[in-house]
Amino acid sequence: MWLKVGTRGDWRVIYVIIAFLVFIGLHDAYYQLYDLNDGPAKQRKIVREVDLVLPLSNEIQLQGGGGVTEHIGGGREYKSILYSPLDKQSISNLFLKGIEENGWKKVEGEDYFQKDNMKIRMYFADPDKYIGVKHLVGKNVIVIEGEIE
């Protein structure tokens, strides 16, 4: 009744208002799917775990901001790009030491480690991608990816 009075009975305006309200409801419901199964807490957990495995220091520094990808259902993926003047073997040893200290287990036949419902892997980025970046000359670029379901 109030809708008909507010629009002076024009049915086109009434349909536009109803369609807008339905759209807002569907939009809100869609974005709530990303926070199912405690998605925000999972995001904090995977970021914290990746930072514990290979923490920033004087030898290991952050190149690019770590990015979190949200998935419908609450899953999260985290990617951190780091660089270091250390050689690849020293970086691998630091990573494996962090893995061991934090209770991660190597998955047989795969290139990642697993802890509960989380996965983590590290690899060295292609140096050709960073050839024009002056502060990365002679340094190794490391990519660490974490995932939680």
Side-chain angles (χ1 to χ4, degrees), residues 79-136:
K79 183 176 183 179
S80 182
I81 301 172
L82 310 165
Y83 69 93
S84 175
L86 299 174
D87 62 302
K88 289 183 178 184
Q89 187 61 42
S90 298
I91 295 168
S92 295
N93 289 342
L94 282 173
F95 178 73
L96 291 174
K97 181 182 174 195
I99 287 289
E100 184 180 307
E101 289 175 353
N102 291 298
W104 292 82
K105 303 291 183 213
K106 174 78 170 141
V107 176
E108 292 297 323
E110 298 292 336
D111 66 342
Y112 62 86
F113 296 85
Q114 189 161 2
K115 178 181 178 182
D116 301 329
N117 61 342
M118 297 179 287
K119 297 177 185 175
I120 192 172
R121 76 183 193 115
M122 180 198 79
Y123 59 92
F124 294 96
D126 185 18
D128 293 337
K129 287 176 63 176
Y130 298 98
I131 204 154
V133 184
K134 291 182 182 178
H135 71 280
L136 294 179

Side-chain angles (χ1 to χ4, degrees), residues 40-51:
K42 287 180 178 180
Q43 179 172 329
R44 289 187 298 276
K45 185 176 182 181
I46 192 65
V47 170
R48 185 173 51 247
E49 285 289 335
V50 169
D51 289 342

Side-chain angles (χ1 to χ4, degrees), residues 3 5 21 42 52 58 66 83 94-96 98 125 145:
L3 193 60
V5 171
L21 293 175
K42 287 180 178 180
L52 284 174
N58 290 339
Y83 69 93
L94 282 173
F95 178 73
L96 291 174
E145 295 176 342

